[in-house]
Amino acid sequence: QIEDIVTRIQDEKAGGVAIRTVKSFLSKIPSVVSGADIVQWLMKNLSIEDPAEAIHLGSLVAAHGYIFPISDHVLTLKDDGTLYRFQSPYFWPSNCWEPENTDYAIYLCKRTMQNKARLELADYEAENLARLQRAFARKWEFIFMQAEAQVKIDRKKDKAERKILDSQERAFWDVHRPVPGCVNTTEMDIRKCRRERNPHRVKKSVYGVPDDGQSQPSPIHISSQPTRKPTKEDVQKEITFLNIQLDRHCMKVSKVADSLMTYTEQFMEYDPFVSATEPSNPWISDDSTFWDLEASREPSQQRVKKWGFSLEEALKDPAGRDQFLKFLESEFSSENLRFWLAVQDLKRRPLQEVASRAQEIWQEFLAEGAPSSINLDSHSYERTSQNLKDPGRYSYEDAQEHIFKLMKSDSYARFLRSNIYQDLLLARKK
Amino acid sequence: MATQEVQLNETLAHLKTESETLKSKLEEERAKLHDVELHQVAEKVEGLGQFVMKTRRTLKGHGNKVLCMDWCKDKRRIVSSSQDGKVIVWDAFTTNKEHAVTMPCTWVMACAYAPSGCAVACGGLDNKCSVYPLSLDKNENLAAKKKSVAMHTNYLSACSFTNSDMQILTSSGDGTCALWDVESGQLLQSFHGHAADVLCLDLAPSETGNTFGQCIQSFETHESDINSVRYYPSGDAFASGSDDATCRLYDLRADREVAIYSKESIIFGVSSVDFSLSGRLLFGGYNDYTINVWDVLKGTRVSILFGHENRVSTLRVSPDGTAFSTGSWDHTLRV
């Protein structure tokens, strides 16, 4: 996608940026654009309102190596008269460059051979060169020869062309061997490395140096999965799946949209990003009172209000559970909730305890003559007793769902109308 | 033998045509339900005001890219993992480091906090998910207590505890997800259905949660890798972030994509997404070092946040929604 933009920018006829030759002191600077021009173009063509955003984007385009300042190693975009040049497509990242240190050594060596002041090595480059000389001590003669060959080739080119090519080459290395402290944009997310963008793994040398086989392919690259051709079973599975999808009852987008909107609106007052938190957002004020209040068993009105949204919300809040339980106990009908809570607890038990806990729950709530017997329909009852032959964390799933629905349609509604709840909800109201 | 093969190919081709026909029929049916766009319906909703979001805390201490992070239920602690092989537990509120574990492999791509706050799980290139109990005794060598829970045949991309400390869900580059029992290390259930690496996972916010099993629904509208998925707070929808530089919202009841969040000026991929508490805001961490905040209902961008000096690799909203944290390749985490 970056390349799309970069191509557009350069296309003068289609409203791109004017690339000119600028006269400076004794010489002409060919093929440049000012930073400000680029920023302008970005803002206009990509509908960016804030120049800071355009600068940020432009700097990233530079950091990836598509444009570069002609007189700086650091690849960022500035919104002023600083001059930039476009990188040659040969050097674009999409060509999957992974240049070897031998190439870099040749490049640095070549630079030292040329007498121009502007080609002098920067400190970090000189350090790099010294390091490489030590590392490639035995190969150095070879590298030196390659560098000389490159210099010869370069000399044959036209002066203006050379200026351009030299700067592009330098920019290429600025991307692959960045100034210390700068982001190396060639780093990749290791999970994506397997995707062979360069399927033949041809090690391209920048200077045509043949690969002497010293490079180790990264272990990730070796283990790429071969693409599986779909078998008959695969397609059959797909067909079954599609048929199920066709039969599925779906809602209209308008209904769904309404539902999303209602949910969001209901919770917006609880969303610290949208509405102010009382007394303050701890991260902003450095005061953790808000958290202490939320954790307390004495809920605020706002919290109590949330319990009224749904049974799920009421049960999520420990204080809500307490109050609901209290209410049910006053009606002598707390066994449903206690069953539900016991099953929730069962799911959190370590495996060794699961079987015995499951039995205990059965004894307490479901067995004949159980002390807190709950009312299950015969179907769920059968299913559950079957499940208990091999008890697991989810043996009571059916039963729990049934009981939950029961509570929702019956006791929950009464809870919301009860004095216990209403008192809390309206408490402190003047 | 040759004729058998030919027959097989023919039936395969036959099946493929059947599949294609079904697919177009399905698209047709779904399109009928697409009577309106979400943002059109949302026009009557009040617009959101200007947001002032700033970095409130910066956590420094990792020696390399931060790859993943998770919040503790206590709303202030964070666990983060990095390419330097370290997993660190911070009290983000005070910015103190509380625990640090060095993993035997680099690129720890996934980490998760246990609901009780007493353990963390992590994994990555070692293809495993390991659980470390957090002890209050600073002198204890945490690494010694490590429990190896999951084994995949490729890197671990994400892990998450279910509603308790006892079970963990993992996803991997080997294309599968799996549910494990923490104590015994036993594989409880395995989920197939993806054709390539599974990069991320999220659990529906419901309390009960035994809906594992078959692949229930499938959505294919992104043009490139999907790096992150997150459920909408009600559990009826989810958002995804992808390398194609867009975030999308899918509703499970309508069984389709209902919104796209994108801008011409955003050309870098999304690494991570999460919702604010009410679901009104969607936060996306991008590979262009920024965070874009979207109005979920209206589909517009509310804010863009700068600050990180390299890719944002992971983003999570805190459990009570008071803040969100981001981890980045610039070695820091911000709240």
mmCIF file of all heavy atoms in Angstrom, chain A residues 38-79:
data_model
loop_
_atom_site.group_PDB
_atom_site.id
_atom_site.type_symbol
_atom_site.label_atom_id
_atom_site.label_comp_id
_atom_site.label_asym_id
_atom_site.label_seq_id
_atom_site.Cartn_x
_atom_site.Cartn_y
_atom_site.Cartn_z
ATOM 1 N N ILE A 38 5.787 17.442 0.262
ATOM 2 C CA ILE A 38 5.291 16.084 0.502
ATOM 3 C C ILE A 38 4.175 16.107 1.530
ATOM 4 O O ILE A 38 3.142 15.444 1.373
ATOM 5 C CB ILE A 38 6.434 15.160 0.969
ATOM 6 C CG1 ILE A 38 7.494 15.060 -0.120
ATOM 7 C CG2 ILE A 38 5.897 13.784 1.328
ATOM 8 C CD1 ILE A 38 8.621 14.113 0.209
ATOM 9 N N VAL A 39 4.391 16.871 2.590
ATOM 10 C CA VAL A 39 3.374 16.937 3.642
ATOM 11 C C VAL A 39 2.067 17.476 3.071
ATOM 12 O O VAL A 39 0.984 16.949 3.317
ATOM 13 C CB VAL A 39 3.842 17.826 4.813
ATOM 14 C CG1 VAL A 39 2.733 18.009 5.819
ATOM 15 C CG2 VAL A 39 5.051 17.206 5.486
ATOM 16 N N GLN A 40 2.189 18.532 2.267
ATOM 17 C CA GLN A 40 0.994 19.108 1.631
ATOM 18 C C GLN A 40 0.242 18.066 0.817
ATOM 19 O O GLN A 40 -0.969 17.922 0.920
ATOM 20 C CB GLN A 40 1.422 20.217 0.651
ATOM 21 C CG GLN A 40 1.734 21.537 1.307
ATOM 22 C CD GLN A 40 0.525 22.082 2.011
ATOM 23 O OE1 GLN A 40 -0.585 22.006 1.499
ATOM 24 N NE2 GLN A 40 0.735 22.612 3.192
ATOM 25 N N TRP A 41 0.994 17.351 -0.013
ATOM 26 C CA TRP A 41 0.385 16.359 -0.889
ATOM 27 C C TRP A 41 -0.340 15.291 -0.090
ATOM 28 O O TRP A 41 -1.464 14.899 -0.416
ATOM 29 C CB TRP A 41 1.463 15.722 -1.772
ATOM 30 C CG TRP A 41 0.900 14.827 -2.830
ATOM 31 C CD1 TRP A 41 0.596 15.156 -4.110
ATOM 32 C CD2 TRP A 41 0.554 13.460 -2.684
ATOM 33 N NE1 TRP A 41 0.084 14.082 -4.781
ATOM 34 C CE2 TRP A 41 0.048 13.026 -3.934
ATOM 35 C CE3 TRP A 41 0.613 12.538 -1.631
ATOM 36 C CZ2 TRP A 41 -0.388 11.719 -4.160
ATOM 37 C CZ3 TRP A 41 0.182 11.232 -1.846
ATOM 38 C CH2 TRP A 41 -0.315 10.837 -3.108
ATOM 39 N N LEU A 42 0.321 14.824 0.975
ATOM 40 C CA LEU A 42 -0.277 13.778 1.805
ATOM 41 C C LEU A 42 -1.585 14.260 2.401
ATOM 42 O O LEU A 42 -2.587 13.555 2.409
ATOM 43 C CB LEU A 42 0.682 13.380 2.934
ATOM 44 C CG LEU A 42 1.879 12.529 2.548
ATOM 45 C CD1 LEU A 42 2.813 12.374 3.731
ATOM 46 C CD2 LEU A 42 1.436 11.165 2.055
ATOM 47 N N MET A 43 -1.564 15.482 2.882
ATOM 48 C CA MET A 43 -2.774 15.978 3.541
ATOM 49 C C MET A 43 -3.901 16.105 2.546
ATOM 50 O O MET A 43 -5.045 15.771 2.833
ATOM 51 C CB MET A 43 -2.490 17.331 4.215
ATOM 52 C CG MET A 43 -1.685 17.144 5.479
ATOM 53 S SD MET A 43 -1.308 18.661 6.334
ATOM 54 C CE MET A 43 -2.930 19.223 6.765
ATOM 55 N N LYS A 44 -3.564 16.600 1.366
ATOM 56 C CA LYS A 44 -4.609 16.817 0.389
ATOM 57 C C LYS A 44 -5.148 15.495 -0.138
ATOM 58 O O LYS A 44 -6.358 15.286 -0.202
ATOM 59 C CB LYS A 44 -4.038 17.640 -0.767
ATOM 60 C CG LYS A 44 -5.129 18.292 -1.606
ATOM 61 C CD LYS A 44 -4.512 19.199 -2.656
ATOM 62 C CE LYS A 44 -4.697 18.521 -4.009
ATOM 63 N NZ LYS A 44 -4.085 19.151 -5.119
ATOM 64 N N ASN A 45 -4.256 14.589 -0.495
ATOM 65 C CA ASN A 45 -4.706 13.392 -1.194
ATOM 66 C C ASN A 45 -5.177 12.248 -0.310
ATOM 67 O O ASN A 45 -5.840 11.337 -0.769
ATOM 68 C CB ASN A 45 -3.580 12.888 -2.102
ATOM 69 C CG ASN A 45 -3.432 13.786 -3.306
ATOM 70 O OD1 ASN A 45 -4.141 13.645 -4.266
ATOM 71 N ND2 ASN A 45 -2.530 14.742 -3.203
ATOM 72 N N LEU A 46 -4.798 12.293 0.949
ATOM 73 C CA LEU A 46 -5.247 11.203 1.813
ATOM 74 C C LEU A 46 -6.192 11.716 2.885
ATOM 75 O O LEU A 46 -6.405 11.071 3.896
ATOM 76 C CB LEU A 46 -4.039 10.518 2.468
ATOM 77 C CG LEU A 46 -3.093 9.846 1.495
ATOM 78 C CD1 LEU A 46 -1.905 9.251 2.239
ATOM 79 C CD2 LEU A 46 -3.799 8.736 0.733
ATOM 80 N N SER A 47 -6.756 12.832 2.652
ATOM 81 C CA SER A 47 -7.677 13.501 3.579
ATOM 82 C C SER A 47 -7.202 13.454 5.026
ATOM 83 O O SER A 47 -7.871 12.927 5.901
ATOM 84 C CB SER A 47 -9.089 12.935 3.507
ATOM 85 O OG SER A 47 -9.148 11.759 2.789
ATOM 86 N N ILE A 48 -6.035 13.999 5.239
ATOM 87 C CA ILE A 48 -5.529 14.076 6.609
ATOM 88 C C ILE A 48 -5.732 15.502 7.097
ATOM 89 O O ILE A 48 -5.346 16.442 6.422
ATOM 90 C CB ILE A 48 -4.020 13.764 6.635
ATOM 91 C CG1 ILE A 48 -3.780 12.356 6.109
ATOM 92 C CG2 ILE A 48 -3.469 13.905 8.033
ATOM 93 C CD1 ILE A 48 -2.320 12.000 6.028
ATOM 94 N N GLU A 49 -6.350 15.656 8.267
ATOM 95 C CA GLU A 49 -6.603 17.018 8.731
ATOM 96 C C GLU A 49 -5.450 17.596 9.510
ATOM 97 O O GLU A 49 -5.199 18.780 9.508
ATOM 98 C CB GLU A 49 -7.853 17.057 9.622
ATOM 99 C CG GLU A 49 -9.138 16.788 8.882
ATOM 100 C CD GLU A 49 -9.665 15.402 9.207
ATOM 101 O OE1 GLU A 49 -9.308 14.870 10.279
ATOM 102 O OE2 GLU A 49 -10.407 14.853 8.374
ATOM 103 N N ASP A 50 -4.781 16.733 10.212
ATOM 104 C CA ASP A 50 -3.756 17.216 11.123
ATOM 105 C C ASP A 50 -2.371 17.044 10.510
ATOM 106 O O ASP A 50 -1.976 15.943 10.189
ATOM 107 C CB ASP A 50 -3.871 16.399 12.416
ATOM 108 C CG ASP A 50 -2.901 16.840 13.478
ATOM 109 O OD1 ASP A 50 -2.205 17.859 13.258
ATOM 110 O OD2 ASP A 50 -2.849 16.180 14.518
ATOM 111 N N PRO A 51 -1.620 18.122 10.372
ATOM 112 C CA PRO A 51 -0.291 17.986 9.762
ATOM 113 C C PRO A 51 0.602 17.038 10.540
ATOM 114 O O PRO A 51 1.437 16.357 9.950
ATOM 115 C CB PRO A 51 0.284 19.412 9.779
ATOM 116 C CG PRO A 51 -0.704 20.254 10.480
ATOM 117 C CD PRO A 51 -1.973 19.522 10.626
ATOM 118 N N ALA A 52 0.391 16.949 11.838
ATOM 119 C CA ALA A 52 1.229 16.034 12.631
ATOM 120 C C ALA A 52 1.068 14.614 12.131
ATOM 121 O O ALA A 52 2.018 13.826 12.060
ATOM 122 C CB ALA A 52 0.846 16.118 14.100
ATOM 123 N N GLU A 53 -0.151 14.277 11.750
ATOM 124 C CA GLU A 53 -0.416 12.938 11.253
ATOM 125 C C GLU A 53 0.295 12.714 9.928
ATOM 126 O O GLU A 53 0.866 11.647 9.680
ATOM 127 C CB GLU A 53 -1.913 12.798 11.043
ATOM 128 C CG GLU A 53 -2.447 11.434 11.373
ATOM 129 C CD GLU A 53 -3.891 11.311 10.965
ATOM 130 O OE1 GLU A 53 -4.678 12.148 11.443
ATOM 131 O OE2 GLU A 53 -4.200 10.399 10.181
ATOM 132 N N ALA A 54 0.249 13.739 9.072
ATOM 133 C CA ALA A 54 0.884 13.620 7.768
ATOM 134 C C ALA A 54 2.389 13.468 7.935
ATOM 135 O O ALA A 54 3.022 12.661 7.251
ATOM 136 C CB ALA A 54 0.566 14.841 6.915
ATOM 137 N N ILE A 55 2.936 14.215 8.861
ATOM 138 C CA ILE A 55 4.376 14.112 9.103
ATOM 139 C C ILE A 55 4.712 12.722 9.618
ATOM 140 O O ILE A 55 5.699 12.101 9.215
ATOM 141 C CB ILE A 55 4.836 15.168 10.117
ATOM 142 C CG1 ILE A 55 4.678 16.556 9.514
ATOM 143 C CG2 ILE A 55 6.278 14.943 10.530
ATOM 144 C CD1 ILE A 55 5.037 17.665 10.452
ATOM 145 N N HIS A 56 3.877 12.231 10.510
ATOM 146 C CA HIS A 56 4.120 10.896 11.058
ATOM 147 C C HIS A 56 4.102 9.854 9.952
ATOM 148 O O HIS A 56 4.971 8.995 9.854
ATOM 149 C CB HIS A 56 3.054 10.587 12.110
ATOM 150 C CG HIS A 56 3.209 9.250 12.735
ATOM 151 N ND1 HIS A 56 4.051 9.010 13.789
ATOM 152 C CD2 HIS A 56 2.654 8.049 12.438
ATOM 153 C CE1 HIS A 56 3.995 7.742 14.129
ATOM 154 N NE2 HIS A 56 3.157 7.122 13.331
ATOM 155 N N LEU A 57 3.083 9.934 9.115
ATOM 156 C CA LEU A 57 2.962 8.965 8.031
ATOM 157 C C LEU A 57 4.148 9.082 7.080
ATOM 158 O O LEU A 57 4.760 8.100 6.678
ATOM 159 C CB LEU A 57 1.652 9.209 7.270
ATOM 160 C CG LEU A 57 1.406 8.287 6.084
ATOM 161 C CD1 LEU A 57 1.373 6.846 6.530
ATOM 162 C CD2 LEU A 57 0.102 8.631 5.386
ATOM 163 N N GLY A 58 4.469 10.335 6.746
ATOM 164 C CA GLY A 58 5.585 10.552 5.835
ATOM 165 C C GLY A 58 6.889 10.023 6.412
ATOM 166 O O GLY A 58 7.698 9.418 5.705
ATOM 167 N N SER A 59 7.057 10.228 7.697
ATOM 168 C CA SER A 59 8.287 9.729 8.321
ATOM 169 C C SER A 59 8.365 8.220 8.246
ATOM 170 O O SER A 59 9.433 7.645 8.080
ATOM 171 C CB SER A 59 8.349 10.154 9.785
ATOM 172 O OG SER A 59 8.528 11.538 9.869
ATOM 173 N N LEU A 60 7.221 7.574 8.374
ATOM 174 C CA LEU A 60 7.212 6.115 8.276
ATOM 175 C C LEU A 60 7.547 5.669 6.867
ATOM 176 O O LEU A 60 8.263 4.693 6.658
ATOM 177 C CB LEU A 60 5.851 5.565 8.677
ATOM 178 C CG LEU A 60 5.695 5.398 10.174
ATOM 179 C CD1 LEU A 60 4.283 5.030 10.511
ATOM 180 C CD2 LEU A 60 6.641 4.328 10.677
ATOM 181 N N VAL A 61 7.004 6.385 5.893
ATOM 182 C CA VAL A 61 7.310 6.054 4.513
ATOM 183 C C VAL A 61 8.819 6.182 4.300
ATOM 184 O O VAL A 61 9.443 5.364 3.626
ATOM 185 C CB VAL A 61 6.546 6.988 3.542
ATOM 186 C CG1 VAL A 61 7.000 6.768 2.113
ATOM 187 C CG2 VAL A 61 5.049 6.744 3.647
ATOM 188 N N ALA A 62 9.395 7.205 4.913
ATOM 189 C CA ALA A 62 10.841 7.399 4.812
ATOM 190 C C ALA A 62 11.583 6.290 5.544
ATOM 191 O O ALA A 62 12.526 5.699 5.016
ATOM 192 C CB ALA A 62 11.216 8.753 5.404
ATOM 193 N N ALA A 63 11.124 5.986 6.747
ATOM 194 C CA ALA A 63 11.815 4.972 7.551
ATOM 195 C C ALA A 63 11.830 3.628 6.854
ATOM 196 O O ALA A 63 12.745 2.829 7.036
ATOM 197 C CB ALA A 63 11.145 4.860 8.911
ATOM 198 N N HIS A 64 10.822 3.362 6.040
ATOM 199 C CA HIS A 64 10.798 2.090 5.316
ATOM 200 C C HIS A 64 11.622 2.155 4.048
ATOM 201 O O HIS A 64 11.803 1.170 3.367
ATOM 202 C CB HIS A 64 9.356 1.683 4.999
ATOM 203 C CG HIS A 64 8.700 1.014 6.154
ATOM 204 N ND1 HIS A 64 8.060 1.696 7.143
ATOM 205 C CD2 HIS A 64 8.621 -0.289 6.507
ATOM 206 C CE1 HIS A 64 7.604 0.859 8.054
ATOM 207 N NE2 HIS A 64 7.939 -0.355 7.686
ATOM 208 N N GLY A 65 12.085 3.348 3.726
ATOM 209 C CA GLY A 65 13.040 3.445 2.635
ATOM 210 C C GLY A 65 12.505 3.900 1.310
ATOM 211 O O GLY A 65 13.128 3.663 0.285
ATOM 212 N N TYR A 66 11.349 4.538 1.288
ATOM 213 C CA TYR A 66 10.816 4.947 -0.011
ATOM 214 C C TYR A 66 11.191 6.366 -0.393
ATOM 215 O O TYR A 66 11.178 6.726 -1.559
ATOM 216 C CB TYR A 66 9.288 4.794 -0.025
ATOM 217 C CG TYR A 66 8.877 3.349 0.006
ATOM 218 C CD1 TYR A 66 8.633 2.711 1.207
ATOM 219 C CD2 TYR A 66 8.771 2.622 -1.177
ATOM 220 C CE1 TYR A 66 8.283 1.374 1.226
ATOM 221 C CE2 TYR A 66 8.420 1.293 -1.157
ATOM 222 C CZ TYR A 66 8.179 0.671 0.048
ATOM 223 O OH TYR A 66 7.833 -0.639 0.085
ATOM 224 N N ILE A 67 11.417 7.200 0.624
ATOM 225 C CA ILE A 67 11.938 8.537 0.334
ATOM 226 C C ILE A 67 13.046 8.795 1.344
ATOM 227 O O ILE A 67 13.095 8.142 2.389
ATOM 228 C CB ILE A 67 10.867 9.641 0.461
ATOM 229 C CG1 ILE A 67 10.313 9.695 1.874
ATOM 230 C CG2 ILE A 67 9.764 9.458 -0.548
ATOM 231 C CD1 ILE A 67 9.319 10.810 2.072
ATOM 232 N N PHE A 68 13.933 9.709 1.048
ATOM 233 C CA PHE A 68 14.995 9.961 2.006
ATOM 234 C C PHE A 68 15.511 11.381 1.872
ATOM 235 O O PHE A 68 15.475 11.979 0.800
ATOM 236 C CB PHE A 68 16.143 8.968 1.802
ATOM 237 C CG PHE A 68 16.695 8.967 0.399
ATOM 238 C CD1 PHE A 68 17.763 9.783 0.052
ATOM 239 C CD2 PHE A 68 16.134 8.153 -0.565
ATOM 240 C CE1 PHE A 68 18.263 9.789 -1.243
ATOM 241 C CE2 PHE A 68 16.635 8.144 -1.863
ATOM 242 C CZ PHE A 68 17.705 8.969 -2.203
ATOM 243 N N PRO A 69 15.971 11.933 2.994
ATOM 244 C CA PRO A 69 16.555 13.267 2.938
ATOM 245 C C PRO A 69 17.933 13.159 2.301
ATOM 246 O O PRO A 69 18.682 12.219 2.603
ATOM 247 C CB PRO A 69 16.672 13.675 4.416
ATOM 248 C CG PRO A 69 16.684 12.408 5.164
ATOM 249 C CD PRO A 69 16.002 11.371 4.348
ATOM 250 N N ILE A 70 18.264 14.085 1.424
ATOM 251 C CA ILE A 70 19.514 13.885 0.697
ATOM 252 C C ILE A 70 20.745 14.141 1.546
ATOM 253 O O ILE A 70 21.843 13.756 1.198
ATOM 254 C CB ILE A 70 19.590 14.757 -0.574
ATOM 255 C CG1 ILE A 70 19.432 16.231 -0.197
ATOM 256 C CG2 ILE A 70 18.536 14.341 -1.573
ATOM 257 C CD1 ILE A 70 19.650 17.144 -1.385
ATOM 258 N N SER A 71 20.561 14.824 2.643
ATOM 259 C CA SER A 71 21.771 15.065 3.429
ATOM 260 C C SER A 71 21.676 14.610 4.870
ATOM 261 O O SER A 71 22.133 15.267 5.772
ATOM 262 C CB SER A 71 22.144 16.539 3.372
ATOM 263 O OG SER A 71 20.973 17.309 3.300
ATOM 264 N N ASP A 72 21.063 13.493 5.101
ATOM 265 C CA ASP A 72 20.989 12.996 6.474
ATOM 266 C C ASP A 72 20.805 11.482 6.451
ATOM 267 O O ASP A 72 20.119 10.945 5.588
ATOM 268 C CB ASP A 72 19.805 13.660 7.191
ATOM 269 C CG ASP A 72 19.903 13.512 8.708
ATOM 270 O OD1 ASP A 72 20.792 12.764 9.177
ATOM 271 O OD2 ASP A 72 19.106 14.132 9.409
ATOM 272 N N HIS A 73 21.385 10.830 7.425
ATOM 273 C CA HIS A 73 21.198 9.382 7.505
ATOM 274 C C HIS A 73 19.895 9.028 8.195
ATOM 275 O O HIS A 73 19.381 7.933 8.052
ATOM 276 C CB HIS A 73 22.335 8.741 8.298
ATOM 277 C CG HIS A 73 23.586 8.573 7.501
ATOM 278 N ND1 HIS A 73 23.687 7.659 6.480
ATOM 279 C CD2 HIS A 73 24.765 9.202 7.574
ATOM 280 C CE1 HIS A 73 24.908 7.737 5.968
ATOM 281 N NE2 HIS A 73 25.580 8.658 6.600
ATOM 282 N N VAL A 74 19.394 9.962 9.003
ATOM 283 C CA VAL A 74 18.194 9.638 9.770
ATOM 284 C C VAL A 74 16.969 9.827 8.885
ATOM 285 O O VAL A 74 16.739 10.897 8.340
ATOM 286 C CB VAL A 74 18.084 10.553 11.017
ATOM 287 C CG1 VAL A 74 16.827 10.243 11.781
ATOM 288 C CG2 VAL A 74 19.315 10.369 11.881
ATOM 289 N N LEU A 75 16.187 8.799 8.763
ATOM 290 C CA LEU A 75 15.085 8.813 7.801
ATOM 291 C C LEU A 75 13.768 9.299 8.404
ATOM 292 O O LEU A 75 12.934 8.510 8.820
ATOM 293 C CB LEU A 75 14.888 7.401 7.250
ATOM 294 C CG LEU A 75 16.095 6.823 6.511
ATOM 295 C CD1 LEU A 75 15.895 5.343 6.262
ATOM 296 C CD2 LEU A 75 16.313 7.543 5.199
ATOM 297 N N THR A 76 13.593 10.606 8.465
ATOM 298 C CA THR A 76 12.287 11.115 8.892
ATOM 299 C C THR A 76 11.873 12.229 7.950
ATOM 300 O O THR A 76 12.690 12.768 7.223
ATOM 301 C CB THR A 76 12.329 11.730 10.304
ATOM 302 O OG1 THR A 76 13.357 12.718 10.317
ATOM 303 C CG2 THR A 76 12.609 10.703 11.361
ATOM 304 N N LEU A 77 10.624 12.603 8.016
ATOM 305 C CA LEU A 77 10.120 13.655 7.155
ATOM 306 C C LEU A 77 9.957 14.931 7.962
ATOM 307 O O LEU A 77 9.433 14.907 9.073
ATOM 308 C CB LEU A 77 8.764 13.252 6.587
ATOM 309 C CG LEU A 77 8.155 14.258 5.600
ATOM 310 C CD1 LEU A 77 8.981 14.309 4.333
ATOM 311 C CD2 LEU A 77 6.723 13.890 5.275
ATOM 312 N N LYS A 78 10.426 16.022 7.403
ATOM 313 C CA LYS A 78 10.223 17.308 8.084
ATOM 314 C C LYS A 78 9.386 18.213 7.198
ATOM 315 O O LYS A 78 9.550 18.242 5.979
ATOM 316 C CB LYS A 78 11.582 17.977 8.345
ATOM 317 C CG LYS A 78 12.423 17.228 9.344
ATOM 318 C CD LYS A 78 13.510 18.114 9.946
ATOM 319 C CE LYS A 78 14.525 17.239 10.657
ATOM 320 N NZ LYS A 78 15.856 17.278 10.099
ATOM 321 N N ASP A 79 8.532 18.970 7.874
ATOM 322 C CA ASP A 79 7.616 19.828 7.131
ATOM 323 C C ASP A 79 8.262 21.177 6.848
ATOM 324 O O ASP A 79 7.842 22.209 7.352
ATOM 325 C CB ASP A 79 6.344 20.014 7.967
ATOM 326 C CG ASP A 79 5.261 20.759 7.195
ATOM 327 O OD1 ASP A 79 5.438 20.995 5.990
ATOM 328 O OD2 ASP A 79 4.251 21.108 7.831
#
